[in-house]
Amino acid sequence: RDGWVLRDDQKPVYDFLLNNPTGSKLVPLATGSGKTAVSLITLGTIKKRLGIVILPTYIDKWVSDIVQIHEAKTTDVMVVQGSKALRGIIGLAQEGQLKHDYIIFSNRTLQEIINAYEEDPDYCTDNYGCTPLELFPLLGIGVMLIDETHQHYHSIFMIMIHTNVEFQIGLSATLVSDDHITRRMHR
């Protein structure tokens, strides 16, 4: 959207993300430094369908940020929260009817399909219509952005290894912790 320009201190992050936008990259910037803005501006340049994985408490914030920073309306953003919604979006994709450029997933919803897959892959496919590895390619998602990667760390890690997406971006202002158990888990 016109008027959204990167600050000088954000340009290196933009360049870092655009330099070979594949694999997994972490953006550990301080609170208030513009992680959301720089990531959305960068993703606007990449021009691939975006899947955002977040805690449910941040969903409204991200919908608002997308609308403010991109040329988007709230109707351009699909929120997937709960297994019924996940089965619905999978059905839309299988029918070629998925039109949204922004898809926000509750991390708990993605954890449910992963748990189902780990428990019984055949049941997972029967119940959801695909496996976790097939989900993002089926939905046409080229970039997965995970906000607050330090929260629910194990769940986020499981989502990252069970999704098949070309480019993953993790955002966190507080990835480094003083807590011994958290540091051990991060290592």
Side-chain angles (χ1 to χ4, degrees):
R1 184 180 298 270
D2 290 340
W4 283 90
V5 181
L6 293 170
R7 299 186 312 248
D8 289 342
D9 61 325
Q10 294 172 329
K11 290 178 183 173
V13 177
Y14 175 85
D15 293 338
F16 166 71
L17 291 173
L18 283 181
N19 181 19
N20 191 21
T22 59
S24 183
K25 294 186 178 183
L26 176 65
V27 178
L29 294 175
T31 301
S33 60
K35 289 180 298 301
T36 301
V38 74
S39 63
L40 285 174
I41 290 169
T42 303
L43 294 168
T45 302
I46 294 174
K47 297 188 186 300
K48 292 186 178 180
R49 182 173 282 158
L50 173 61
I52 300 174
V53 179
I54 53 176
L55 292 171
T57 190
Y58 301 123
I59 290 174
D60 291 340
K61 175 210 174 294
W62 271 94
V63 171
S64 175
D65 289 341
I66 290 167
V67 169
Q68 279 186 334
I69 296 171
H70 284 202
E71 296 288 337
K73 302 180 203 96
T74 56
T75 55
D76 296 328
V77 182
M78 180 174 277
V79 175
V80 181
Q81 192 172 9
S83 58
K84 183 177 179 182
L86 184 57
R87 284 191 297 274
I89 194 172
I90 290 168
L92 285 174
Q94 289 170 334
E95 296 168 5
Q97 299 298 314
L98 184 58
K99 306 294 183 210
H100 296 78
D101 290 328
Y102 310 93
I103 304 169
I104 297 177
F105 297 91
S106 155
N107 69 320
R108 294 178 187 137
T109 299
L110 291 179
Q111 189 62 54
E112 286 176 18
I113 189 174
I114 291 166
N115 291 345
Y117 177 75
E118 288 180 336
E119 198 169 300
D120 184 346
D122 292 331
Y123 169 78
C124 178
T125 302
D126 292 343
N127 187 40
Y128 288 99
C130 69
T131 67
L133 283 171
E134 298 166 333
L135 178 62
F136 278 35
L138 172 66
L139 300 179
I141 293 174
V143 180
M144 177 172 65
L145 184 136
I146 303 168
D147 191 18
E148 304 297 352
T149 58
H150 64 282
Q151 295 181 340
H152 297 265
Y153 192 76
H154 183 263
S155 173
I156 296 301
F157 176 75
M158 295 300 288
I159 290 167
M160 289 177 73
I161 65 172
H162 279 88
T163 51
N164 183 11
V165 64
E166 183 179 352
F167 188 30
Q168 299 174 347
I169 300 171
L171 304 177
S172 178
T174 54
L175 188 61
V176 177
S177 174
D178 292 335
D179 180 65
H180 170 71
I181 294 171
T182 302
R183 281 196 321 267
R184 182 174 169 228
M185 186 169 49
H186 287 179
R187 279 196 308 276

